[in-house]
Amino acid sequence: MAEKNRLVTVAALQFACTDDVSTNVATAERLVRAAHQKGANIILIQELFEGYYFCQAQKEEFFHRAKPYPGHPTIVRMQNLAKELGVVIPVSFFEEANNAHYNSVAIIDADGTDLGLYRKSHIPDGPGYQEKYYFNPGDTGFKVFQTKYAKIGVAICWDQWFPEAARAMALQGAEVLFYPTAIGSEPQDDGLDSRDHWRRVMQGHAGANVVPLVASNRIGKEIIETEHGNSEITFYGYSFIAGPTGELVAAAGDKEEAVLVAQFDLDKIKSKRHGWGVYRDRRPDLYKVLLTLDGSNPVK
């Protein structure tokens, strides 16, 4: 008798944050429970969901928002929730590691086990998104995590613009890619709206690597006081789930709270991935230019 195919149901959450940790964590838990009720096995919460996206300003006081990874109260709470519901939850948080700080995500398995940590590799620095002030570049490298339901790759926000990150996780066997995110309007340019570009880039990652992809973004207007006056970002949501050819399977709008759910047959997708030939026909010997910044000089 043929073995049953491996079906996995993934979810992306989307909500507006307050600047109160307990309120936001309670909202995340409520939506995790809602996703579980819809049959989700792996549930993605948005980036840095414990509070406002504080990187609009450079303020020393905001470093107090960081906490050490071991014993982090939100991670512990999500471990208990994951164990209770039997679901996998990647948990985004602001990590303090001695004198270093990272934009990190802990991967919680369906029995509550913490499978390990990924630290954001690509750190943006621009108006409204001044992350280099707070975060060291991640030192974990791109990783995959064997969960109860699937081998998953998790990267964070700005990482999603780099095809190398998606390919690195896929090469390590990631069967689904996850990107917790915080992105919205550009304070310096009211006319710049990146939402469609943002979504299409990740749809490309899904199609190029023949794996499903889940992106979770926040919504709502957040105002942060800076040394130059108030900075304001309206986060555009647009959370989505893409299938293995890059097709949109589920999508949210730009204002409403959302729990997106989609089911995938991992064995069927694996056969498609192998048959399509994009991994068979790769030429790593020709890709050394990718190890340079200027196209000629390898990075030491």
Side-chain angles (χ1 to χ4, degrees):
M1 180 180 294
E3 293 185 11
K4 286 183 63 177
N5 284 357
R6 291 185 303 131
L7 301 178
V8 63
T9 301
V10 298
L13 309 185
Q14 175 174 294
F15 60 93
C17 289
T18 71
D19 209 25
D20 178 73
V21 173
S22 61
T23 298
N24 296 323
V25 174
T27 299
E29 178 170 334
R30 172 173 60 82
L31 295 179
V32 167
R33 291 184 181 278
H36 172 254
Q37 286 294 314
K38 291 185 174 186
N41 308 121
I42 308 174
I43 303 169
L44 184 64
I45 310 170
Q46 61 215 31
E47 181 188 17
L48 298 173
F49 64 90
E50 291 182 295
Y52 278 169
Y53 179 74
F54 53 88
C55 305
Q56 291 194 60
Q58 297 185 15
K59 288 190 169 184
E60 289 181 8
E61 64 196 70
F62 287 164
F63 282 101
H64 295 304
R65 297 173 181 241
K67 294 182 177 67
Y69 174 36
H72 191 291
T74 297
I75 295 174
V76 171
R77 179 166 173 174
M78 291 299 159
Q79 285 182 275
N80 292 333
L81 182 62
K83 183 176 182 179
E84 175 193 343
L85 302 179
V87 297
V88 175
I89 310 174
V91 182
S92 172
F93 69 105
F94 184 13
E95 180 193 1
E96 177 185 284
N98 296 319
N99 289 310
H101 295 82
Y102 299 99
N103 187 338
S104 300
V105 60
I107 313 303
I108 310 305
D109 207 358
D111 62 357
T113 300
D114 186 340
L115 296 178
L117 187 72
Y118 168 72
R119 290 169 168 163
K120 187 173 182 176
S121 299
H122 303 95
I123 310 299
D125 186 31
Y129 301 89
Q130 301 176 65
E131 294 195 16
K132 278 186 166 65
Y133 181 76
Y134 296 101
F135 307 131
N136 295 81
D139 58 1
T140 59
F142 302 108
K143 302 170 69 175
V144 298
F145 301 87
Q146 181 63 64
T147 74
K148 177 180 178 179
Y149 302 108
K151 184 178 285 189
I152 66 173
V154 184
I156 302 170
C157 200
W158 191 228
D159 289 330
Q160 66 211 178
W161 293 88
F162 297 86
E164 299 90 343
R167 178 52 56 91
M169 292 185 285
L171 285 174
Q172 294 176 79
E175 297 173 294
V176 188
L177 300 178
F178 293 84
Y179 290 94
T181 301
I183 190 170
S185 59
E186 303 290 337
Q188 85 285 2
D189 185 351
D190 292 339
L192 179 56
D193 185 347
S194 63
R195 70 186 70 191
D196 292 327
H197 185 190
W198 172 79
R199 188 181 271 180
R200 285 193 297 266
V201 165
M202 283 184 281
Q203 288 179 256
H205 298 336
N209 293 289
V210 198
V211 294
L213 185 150
V214 183
S216 174
N217 189 25
R218 66 177 66 195
I219 53 172
K221 181 186 293 185
E222 298 181 14
I223 300 173
I224 298 289
E225 183 182 346
T226 79
E227 64 273 25
H228 306 296
N230 287 341
S231 177
E232 176 183 304
I233 293 178
T234 299
F235 292 91
Y236 54 59
Y238 254 45
S239 302
F240 70 95
I241 301 171
T245 65
E247 75 278 19
L248 277 179
V249 176
D254 62 358
K255 294 180 177 64
E256 75 276 10
E257 189 173 276
V259 177
L260 304 177
V261 173
Q263 185 180 78
F264 296 102
D265 184 331
L266 296 181
D267 287 334
K268 184 176 180 180
I269 293 171
K270 179 180 179 180
S271 294
K272 177 188 288 289
R273 188 163 56 244
H274 290 177
W276 200 243
V278 292
Y279 292 91
R280 178 197 64 210
D281 296 336
R282 291 184 68 251
R283 292 292 307 277
D285 55 312
L286 302 181
Y287 304 155
K288 293 181 177 60
V289 67
L290 297 179
L291 300 178
T292 75
L293 292 174
D294 63 359
S296 60
N297 296 308
V299 175
K300 301 297 184 182

